[in-house]
Amino acid sequence: MKSARAKVLHPLFGAPLLDHVVRAVQALGVDPVTVVVGHQGDAVEAAFAGRGLDFVRQDPPLGTGHAVQAARERIASHPARTLLVLNGDLPLLRAETLDALLQAHRAGGAAATLLTVVLDDPAEYGRVVREADGSVRAIVENKDATAQEKRIREINAGIYAFERDALLEALGQLRPQNAQGEYYLTDVVGLLRKAGRRVNAMTAADSREGLGVNSHGELAAAARLLRQRRCEALMAAGVGIEDPETTFVGPEAEVEADALLRPFTLLEGRTRVAAGAVVGPFARVVDSVVGPGAQILDHCLLRECVVEEGASVGPFAHIRPESRIGAGARVGNFVELKKTRLGAGSKAPHLSYIGDASVGPGVNIGAGTITCNYDGTHKHPTRIEAGSFVGSNTTLVAPVTIGEGAYIAAGSAITEDVPPGALALGRARQVNKAGWAEARRAKKSGKAPPGEGG
């Protein structure tokens, strides 16, 4: 990867690369799941803390066979007869394919069953050499393959189902008999065959599932395929997606049928979009809820918030964490909400910052309104009660309460509570000076106004 970060921690489709493999395995209900870690092992373990995984250290890393040897005690102590072994850089792998492999392994009665894929260009992958009866004779790494073996298009996907006892016996016989001085797990195939045991292979229907990630280019290609797969599944379930090529729906996001995702929409984390909602274009929604029939318009960012039924956000709005926009409420262009509850039917149409505020239903917040919630040390709340009208260019200096049905005159700086139904004016008195502008222009031109001497 030419990166200081461990490969399996590189972000892919909203999660670390390894997360996609873990999800596929855990979807089968297998237990325990052991992850063998080496480079940046502490970081990998920290990233997957709380996921119910068992970790084993491989130090120093001496190949795939050595990685399984590092977990030998865990394997031997578990009563399960079948062991599933797979590489941690296969993000396109599906749980359905793993399940099919396990079923084929149990039905075939072999000591090991491999998952293989057929590629037009096998490149650096290990080739699968078969016998006439279809069983596997050997897996030959590309670095060690002959010219004839390199012409084989069936490659090892790095996914195996083993009979536990047969594997443990073969692991003890592994030797680093290759140009790299490493212990190859693929050599177990030859050892099992030498012991008279059968090795089978199952070819995956989708060859892309066996594609590992070894560069940023391959990482981007995998992300593109995962996006495509996710969008196809959503559209098949009734979600409208205008441009799947530019739409990102993360693995944990949920979108109901009859929602519409417009171009360049990104749904990240545990976002939920309800039926009838429209999101985008150019919208990013993270760990948020978009209610039925709500609209998230152009160029909006929403994080850890809730938009209730029929509400409208945007364009160009920023809704920050712990905010909630009530049913039918409207947040317009260049409005920022922070830790604010906006009541049902309330409006903040444009050019406002509302932070640490509780806004009741039916409130109108004029353009240029600011809640001054931070005094340099602490954050303070603002309360605007139902039916209030806040005029344009108003500054609300928290802590302050605007009573129910109160009016705030435009251009006011409000520093004290406003009683219900009152009109508050917090601005300097206007003074008009007749003739002032004419006199000023004359002075600048050097000409005195009529009736005045030099």
Side-chain angles (χ1 to χ4, degrees):
M1 300 294 289
K2 297 183 180 179
S3 169
R5 177 186 292 167
K7 178 171 75 170
V8 294
L9 293 182
H10 277 266
L12 170 66
F13 196 57
L17 172 59
L18 177 61
D19 186 77
H20 298 278
V21 185
V22 170
R23 283 175 184 273
V25 173
Q26 290 184 325
L28 299 178
V30 298
D31 183 69
V33 177
T34 299
V35 181
V36 181
V37 296
H39 179 58
Q40 294 186 4
D42 289 341
V44 176
E45 291 186 27
F48 288 85
R51 296 285 296 275
L53 303 176
D54 181 31
F55 292 94
V56 169
R57 292 297 179 97
Q58 181 193 17
D59 188 19
L62 297 175
T64 52
H66 182 255
V68 181
Q69 286 178 335
R72 187 170 182 170
E73 290 185 7
R74 310 291 175 90
I75 298 168
S77 65
H78 198 273
R81 294 176 56 86
T82 302
L83 179 72
L84 184 65
V85 179
L86 60 161
N87 293 336
D89 65 349
L90 298 167
L92 298 170
L93 182 64
R94 299 174 189 260
E96 297 87 340
T97 301
L98 288 178
D99 187 49
L101 174 66
L102 289 173
Q103 292 185 39
H105 175 69
R106 295 177 183 124
T113 306
L114 322 177
L115 185 71
T116 69
V117 296
V118 177
L119 301 178
D120 292 336
D121 179 11
E124 300 300 313
Y125 292 99
R127 305 320 198 261
V128 176
V129 182
R130 292 196 185 236
E131 299 284 11
D133 64 356
S135 65
V136 177
R137 180 198 308 167
I139 301 173
V140 182
E141 296 295 330
N142 180 68
K143 298 173 184 176
D144 304 310
T146 65
Q148 182 177 357
E149 289 169 336
K150 287 185 176 182
R151 286 195 288 270
I152 296 173
R153 294 171 52 223
E154 185 178 19
I155 65 110
N156 172 36
I159 302 165
Y160 315 83
F162 288 108
E163 285 303 296
R164 185 195 62 178
D165 293 343
L167 173 64
L168 289 172
E169 182 179 348
L171 285 175
Q173 303 172 41
L174 272 183
R175 299 292 183 271
Q177 298 172 337
N178 52 71
Q180 288 68 46
E182 294 183 345
Y183 295 81
Y184 288 165
L185 184 59
T186 50
D187 289 345
V188 166
V189 171
L191 292 171
L192 291 174
R193 290 300 304 263
K194 187 176 179 180
R197 306 297 299 272
R198 182 179 178 87
V199 177
N200 287 338
M202 185 194 90
T203 303
D206 185 348
S207 63
R208 298 175 297 184
E209 294 190 55
L211 297 179
V213 171
N214 294 295
S215 68
H216 285 283
E218 291 174 349
L219 191 72
R224 183 168 58 253
L225 291 170
L226 285 172
R227 282 200 310 272
Q228 177 184 341
R229 181 188 291 177
R230 186 79 165 102
C231 287
E232 287 174 352
L234 288 170
M235 290 187 290
V239 176
I241 302 180
E242 290 184 347
D243 185 7
E245 291 295 320
T246 61
T247 301
F248 176 101
V249 182
E252 294 184 305
E254 299 176 13
V255 187
E256 294 182 356
D258 291 324
L260 175 63
L261 307 182
R262 306 204 61 207
F264 296 98
T265 289
L266 288 81
L267 305 182
E268 302 177 9
R270 297 182 179 274
T271 291
R272 302 199 308 273
V273 178
V278 179
V279 183
F282 296 96
R284 181 183 175 209
V285 185
V286 184
D287 291 318
S288 298
V289 176
V290 180
Q295 286 191 309
I296 311 300
L297 302 174
D298 313 38
H299 301 280
C300 290
L301 170 59
L302 287 74
R303 297 177 294 144
E304 300 174 35
C305 64
V306 175
V307 181
E308 295 185 6
E309 183 174 1
S312 174
V313 178
F316 296 97
H318 184 187
I319 313 302
R320 293 167 58 186
E322 299 184 58
S323 293
R324 189 179 192 96
I325 300 170
R330 179 187 170 199
V331 176
N333 49 288
F334 302 104
V335 173
E336 179 179 358
L337 300 189
K338 177 259 180 184
K339 203 174 180 180
T340 288
R341 296 180 68 91
L342 188 67
S346 290
K347 299 180 293 182
H350 29 232
L351 301 164
S352 295
Y353 167 71
I354 313 297
D356 294 285
S358 174
V359 181
V363 171
N364 182 86
I365 297 177
T369 295
I370 297 172
T371 58
C372 301
N373 57 320
Y374 184 49
D375 63 8
T377 304
H378 301 102
K379 300 290 179 69
H380 299 282
T382 296
R383 180 178 176 83
I384 306 174
E385 296 182 348
S388 297
F389 183 95
V390 180
S392 298
N393 199 34
T394 291
T395 302
L396 302 172
V397 183
V400 69
T401 296
I402 311 302
E404 183 174 350
Y407 271 65
I408 308 297
S412 293
I414 302 300
T415 59
E416 299 177 1
D417 291 350
V418 180
L423 169 64
L425 298 92
R427 60 193 184 201
R429 182 179 297 276
Q430 180 174 323
V431 176
N432 296 330
K433 295 185 177 183
W436 182 90
E438 184 180 359
R440 181 175 183 272
R441 286 192 292 269
K443 184 176 181 180
K444 288 181 66 175
S445 65
K447 298 179 180 179
E452 295 186 12

